[in-house]
């Protein structure tokens, strides 16, 4: 389906509750599956992405029951030691995350499983997670020397690992933690820079334990996990779209509700404040993941150079920040973001190509880009290569452009933000599916 966006001539006003956090929703399913007993989840992201993980854990013999709304789930599991060998291929859909995390979960199980996915996923290399798991003793076979899906894993009998990640990646750290939890002995996992810590926060809630010394996590197995309740906050990576729309449209005053403000996820908010944005939130004391209502009021902004060590704390928000940078005075420079080249698309080249169609002044760098503002944008008819974050970035660009914007084949938005158009419309925008 196509998404059409009209230029926004009035301020965006009101409150919005975005979809549940994708990273935390995936982890609630994986931990709920590994834990013995019953786990309940509220605020779950009922997007296509999470359904791939849901179907995969079901294939392992776990029962997942949808509650009264799509955002609530009950998971019943015999615990990871009793997982069944899946009778068929595990279809991981588009997200690299389902496959990476599942590889970690399956690496210690004494059976064979084959993971595949759609064409986008089958192009994405998995060596970075496969290699350390092979080092632990898992056997992984697949195309291109065991790096491209379909991937078959024969797990079991792992040795602990002492691993230093070559790049900061929460997915790889988490996959290794899931394997280490099931492996006799102590494993250590060291990151070069901090990345999102949702796995670390969730593990103790399920009765598990680890210790942390700077950037090194120590985790001993095997551990017994038990079911619990998980409350998923709204995803800051999705909230980023209405948030930046409000910062781009003069006169706007928008509050985004129950947004996850875990310190390892708020690199975007720090950057926006440096650009001069008027953002306020109070973080209530919470056990587990902190969440807050964020109020955003329009104000003219200036460009900024984002320090490379902050990139892992805002990796998924970089494309939408580039849209805002076109409306900020001066240069906004992104470096140290080469990781973006292996996301749902090559988010560096594709973003540069996309924003130029709107008339943006953007220059590609090997590890990021430079946007020079302030530049008036004009509406465009664009494709987004099946990448949900690029599709939503184009929609926000359309709001601040003159003339109509059409995003062709924008269905990928459903993977992370079902209700995206309705959310913007609720704030006063004109956005339609056709
Ligand atoms: C994720 C971590 C990030 C992010 C991805 C989800 C996670 O990737 O881009 O959308 O759930 O752990 P990295 O592995 O590059 O940190």
């Amino acid at each position: 389906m196509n998404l059409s966006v009209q230029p926004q001539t009035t301020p965006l006003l009101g409150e919005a509750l975005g979809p549940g956090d994708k990273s935390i929703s995936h982890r609630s399913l994986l931990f709920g599956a590994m834990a013995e007993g019953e786990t309940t989840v509220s605020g779950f992201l009922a997007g296509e992405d999470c359904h791939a993980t849901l179907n995969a854990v079901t294939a392992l013999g776990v029962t997942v029951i949808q509650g009264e709304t799509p955002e609530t789930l009950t998971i019943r599991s015999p615990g990871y030691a009793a997982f069944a060998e899946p009778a068929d291929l595990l279809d991981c859909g588009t997200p690299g995350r389902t496959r990476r995390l599942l590889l970690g979960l399956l690496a210690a199980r004494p059976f064979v499983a084959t993971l595949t996915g759609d064409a986008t996923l089958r192009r994405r290399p998995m060596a970075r997670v496969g290699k350390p798991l092979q080092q632990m003793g898992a056997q992984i076979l697949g195309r291109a020397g065991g790096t491209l899906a379909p991937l078959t894993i024969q797990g079991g009998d792992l040795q602990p690992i002492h691993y230093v990640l070559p790049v900061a990646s929460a997915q790889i750290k988490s996959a290794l933690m899931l394997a280490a939890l099931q492996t006799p002995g102590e494993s250590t996992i060291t990151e070069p820079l901090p990345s999102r810590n949702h796995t670390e926060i969730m593990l103790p809630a399920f009765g598990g334990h680890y210790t942390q010394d700077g950037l090194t996590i120590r985790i001993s197995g095997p551990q017994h996990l038990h079911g619990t309740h998980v409350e998923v906050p709204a995803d800051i990576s999705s909230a980023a779209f209405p948030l930046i729309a409000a910062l781009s449209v003069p006169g706007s005053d928008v509050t985004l509700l129950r947004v996850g403000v875990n310190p390892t996820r708020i690199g975007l908010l720090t950057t926006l404040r440096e650009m001069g944005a008027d953002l306020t939130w109070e973080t209530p004391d919470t056990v587990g993941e902190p969440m807050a209502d964020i109020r955003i009021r329009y104000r003219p902004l200036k460009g900024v150079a984002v320090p490379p060590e902050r990139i892992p704390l805002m990796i998924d928000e970089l494309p939408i920040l580039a849209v805002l940078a076109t409306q900020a005075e001066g240069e906004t420079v992104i470096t140290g973001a080469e990781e973006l080249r292996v996301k749902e698309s090559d988010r560096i080249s594709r973003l540069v190509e996309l924003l130029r169609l709107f008339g943006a002044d953007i220059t590609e760098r090997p590890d990021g880009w430079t946007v020079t503002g302030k530049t008036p944008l004009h509406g465009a008819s664009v494709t987004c290569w099946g990448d949900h974050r690029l599709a939503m970035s184009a929609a926000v660009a359309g709001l601040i452009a003159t003339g109509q914007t059409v995003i062709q084949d924008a269905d990928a938005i459903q993977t992370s933000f079902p209700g995206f158009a309705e959310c913007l419309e609720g704030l006063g925008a004109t956005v339609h599916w056709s």
Side-chain angles (χ1 to χ4, degrees):
M1 293 223 299
N2 296 342
L3 189 69
S4 60
V5 182
Q6 302 302 328
Q8 188 64 28
T9 51
T10 54
L12 295 170
L13 299 171
E15 291 185 345
L17 173 63
D21 187 281
K22 192 139 74 81
S23 291
I24 300 173
S25 295
H26 278 282
R27 284 161 173 79
S28 70
L29 280 169
L30 294 169
F31 273 111
M34 286 179 75
E36 198 178 328
E38 187 171 290
T39 293
T40 50
V41 185
S42 60
F44 181 74
L45 167 65
E48 286 168 11
D49 233 41
C50 292
H51 275 107
T53 301
L54 194 154
N55 291 337
V57 298
T58 305
L60 298 172
V62 174
T63 307
V64 184
I65 305 159
Q66 189 91 57
E68 277 173 16
T69 66
E71 290 79 31
T72 54
L73 293 181
T74 301
I75 304 164
R76 289 200 191 109
S77 174
Y80 65 81
F83 279 165
E85 184 172 61
D88 204 344
L89 295 177
L90 298 179
D91 186 349
C92 302
T94 314
R97 173 174 11 206
T98 297
R99 192 170 40 157
R100 290 202 181 92
L101 297 180
L102 267 182
L103 281 173
L105 179 140
L106 293 171
R109 301 317 328 137
F111 52 66
V112 171
T114 299
L115 281 62
T116 189
D118 67 11
T120 319
L121 185 98
R122 281 183 273 114
R123 277 196 301 272
R124 293 174 70 182
M126 285 289 134
R128 278 193 307 174
V129 67
K131 264 198 189 158
L133 292 174
Q134 282 166 327
Q135 227 171 292
M136 291 178 86
Q139 291 175 53
I140 301 177
L141 285 174
R143 294 183 302 127
T147 63
L148 290 180
L151 289 175
T152 296
I153 182 163
Q154 160 73 64
D157 274 341
L158 298 191
Q159 303 294 323
I161 192 168
H162 303 285
Y163 194 68
V164 180
L165 271 72
V167 278
S169 162
Q171 298 182 48
I172 301 189
K173 171 180 66 178
S174 300
L176 296 180
M177 286 178 73
L178 295 184
L181 267 172
Q182 307 173 57
T183 303
E186 186 187 77
S187 293
T188 58
I189 303 154
T190 304
E191 289 193 282
L193 289 170
S195 67
R196 62 187 73 183
N197 64 356
H198 304 306
T199 306
E200 293 90 311
I201 290 181
M202 208 175 272
L203 177 57
F206 281 88
H209 47 89
Y210 72 99
T211 57
Q212 185 155 13
D213 180 10
L215 292 169
T216 297
I217 286 172
R218 289 176 193 282
I219 189 160
S220 296
Q223 296 191 23
H224 178 259
L225 305 179
H226 55 71
T228 187
H229 175 69
V230 179
E231 193 180 350
V232 182
D235 197 329
I236 192 160
S237 301
S238 299
F241 296 98
L243 191 162
I244 288 204
L247 287 175
S248 311
V249 176
S252 297
D253 186 349
V254 166
T255 301
L256 296 168
L257 304 173
R258 301 186 62 244
V259 182
V261 288
N262 175 322
T264 63
R265 292 290 296 281
I266 58 169
L268 176 73
L269 302 183
T270 309
T271 304
L272 293 173
R273 280 193 162 156
E274 286 173 4
M275 295 172 83
D278 183 357
L279 298 176
T280 49
W281 73 91
E282 275 172 32
T283 310
D285 289 339
T286 43
V287 181
E289 294 286 349
M291 51 186 102
D293 299 342
I294 305 179
R295 182 168 183 195
I296 307 114
R297 278 166 285 196
Y298 172 83
R299 188 197 270 177
L301 303 179
K302 58 180 182 348
V304 76
V306 177
E309 63 276 13
R310 194 185 295 154
I311 296 295
L313 313 183
M314 55 186 295
I315 185 79
D316 294 335
E317 293 74 77
L318 292 169
I320 184 62
L321 177 68
V323 174
L324 180 68
T326 67
Q327 303 309 299
E329 216 44 76
E331 283 192 345
T332 296
V333 185
I334 301 297
T335 52
E338 49 277 77
E339 199 55 17
L340 286 182
R341 294 205 184 268
V342 290
K343 293 291 177 192
E344 280 83 333
S345 69
D346 173 345
R347 283 193 182 149
I348 296 183
S349 304
R350 296 306 197 195
L351 176 86
V352 169
E353 203 176 316
L354 180 71
L355 288 191
R356 283 197 180 142
L357 293 173
F358 286 89
D361 181 350
I362 179 166
T363 317
E364 182 167 347
R365 311 168 63 109
D367 59 347
W369 53 75
T370 300
V371 174
T372 308
K374 188 174 176 174
T375 312
L377 301 185
H378 50 76
S381 179
V382 298
T383 171
C384 285
W385 307 277
D387 187 324
H388 55 127
R389 300 207 196 278
L390 293 185
M392 290 185 279
S393 299
V396 175
L399 287 179
I400 50 180
T402 52
Q404 184 180 249
T405 290
V406 177
I407 303 139
Q408 292 148 27
D409 301 327
D411 311 67
I413 290 175
Q414 306 299 340
T415 62
S416 64
F417 203 151
F420 172 70
E422 293 80 355
C423 172
L424 288 178
E425 286 201 314
L427 300 173
T430 309
V431 181
H432 292 300
W433 288 103
S434 58

